[in-house]
Amino acid sequence: MPGNDPLTVSMEIYTSMDPEVQDAMESILSGEWDGVEWPNDKIEYAIISENNQTGEIVGIGGGRNYSRGGTMLLNHATDQYNQPGSTVKPFLDYLLAFEFCGWATDHTICDQPVAYGNFVFQNAYTNGYSGDMLLTEALGRSLNTPAIQTLQAVIDEVGSDRVCDYLESLNFATFDRNEFNIQYAIGGATFRTSAKELMAAHAVNMNGGYYIEPHTIKRIVYRSGLSDPVEFNYTGTQVVSSQAAYMMSTLLEKNVSTNFQNFMQLLARSYPVYAKTGTTDWGDSGLQYGIPLGSAKDNWMVAETNHFTTVVWYGYDKLYEDTKCWFDYSDILYNMNGYIQNYLLDIINRNVDCSGGVPRPDGISEITHIKGLYPYTAPISGMSGEYISTGLIKSEYNTLAQPQAAAGLSSLASFSASVDDNFNVSFNWSAYPDPSKLEKAGTYKDISLRYANGGVWVAASGRRMFDYSWVYGNVEYKARVSQNGQTLREISSGSEHSTENLNADLAEGTETTVCGYYAYSTGSSASNEVCSSFTTPIRHVYAPAEGTSYDDIMAWANAHGFEIKVSYQVPDDAHPEGTMDLRYNGHTCWGADVKGANRPFQLNVYAYH
């Protein structure tokens, strides 16, 4: 209180400190708790925890050396400002996309190379880019390019000023809206925060979208009785809707309950736990000090329940000679923050019921739609469930577009069909104008970053979440083969030229109609038809049986276009008078298959003249 110094005015100051929590924090910082092994005496640490609903700080640890006095008196939890790294993604990027862009919790975003000026953003500790994914994976794996694209979508929707207004409402002491840029999406550039500020920002997702100033003093009583007690009532300011805050909490819970191997699975309990990590690196600024390129300098972890939010940080105040003042991936894998948060989680929440998690407010709907499409699109009747997703969305945005019908097929310009003597039928269609439609889209796609002229800046490929060709199929060359008005075969081909042996299907010597067209492989749509016809060949030509009359033999020859030379012979014992002998190529051929005969037949007639 102004003019009242506790050293000169007798008073009782009541704080929100939880003694058991405070003792646990101090045991960690002093080294009495043996749950982690500190790499050296120079590394610093900060811990702070608050009640989400009141903003009351229940425990605070200002540093490893802070509690010992001496020269290191900086309170690292309240007075040190560092880049927050990926810990900003929940309260800045995705939260605002739910609020302003109408995104659902299962929105699809593409992890792909993104540039800011001449700088290309990369993902920490991953090799390359992954392509399409749901927001749960983007946040669970803490990928940078999805976060940057998300904040850009928010800026495109409401403008940078509205985003800056929001950041100012969270009371970041060093925030300067004139320095805001897209790198804030990943906690970079000039974004700086204390652990206390970060804690309050994250608590917004736990308490229905309200910002409450963190504080330690609850009440002051003057022992003289001459002044009334002072009660400190901190009211919250709603900075984002309760719907968006709840939606964000569901993604934070999946960070813990889904095995993303992100160091937070250690926090899993029988009740919902919400968490996010963050790391910042030296970039190339540490090279002059012998720090390897990209080595980490700050490591954060936020752990929350519906009742409490706790933030931990470790790093170095400055560079020390003969001390490794950075963290490589093996240091990150040690997961010191995870072990400390895991230890504190049960102590901080020992007297509260966390089983219900963050309560779901009204104004949120489920939306079921095709994965990978935005605007969100209603599923196609009968489509596979693997292409369908259900998420949460603010009810005001719960609308679905109708799916595309199968794209109209190009007209078939020409078609022909022919048959050979062996019943091999050749089909010939005019080539489909768009060859890309002849194949289904692959499960991977080109996500390369390109220059304005189309040249490749950063080559990359990644997952494709959905393509209509997976439902409707690819375009195929089709033909329908008919005889006597009855369809006998349906032909499908991936090429405009195809040959099929239809010996088992077609009747011989029969007028045959073949109609060609284009169609989707699923049969959902077909083009116009162009028809062609031919007469099938005769499979066998049998010579007349012995004893057939002269007139019938000649009629048979005429029917098949054969030439017969007649020769009258004197009867003998082997050939009595009135018999005949039909011969081909010097051999008797009664009843033989003579298909393909190309020389005259010889008919010997045995009779006396």
Side-chain angles (χ1 to χ4, degrees), residues 524-570:
S524 58
S525 182
S527 72
N528 63 303
E529 295 184 356
V530 176
C531 298
S532 177
S533 63
F534 54 77
T535 299
T536 51
I538 300 299
R539 289 186 176 86
H540 304 283
V541 178
Y542 294 102
E546 187 173 5
T548 302
S549 70
Y550 178 88
D551 290 341
D552 287 343
I553 293 172
M554 301 310 290
W556 168 83
N558 290 332
H560 294 286
F562 295 143
E563 179 183 355
I564 295 182
K565 293 182 177 180
V566 179
S567 175
Y568 289 91
Q569 304 289 331
V570 176

Side-chain angles (χ1 to χ4, degrees), residues 541 556 560-563 584 593-601:
V541 178
W556 168 83
H560 294 286
F562 295 143
E563 179 183 355
Y584 181 75
D593 184 356
V594 293
K595 180 182 177 182
N598 55 7
R599 299 175 63 184
F601 287 81

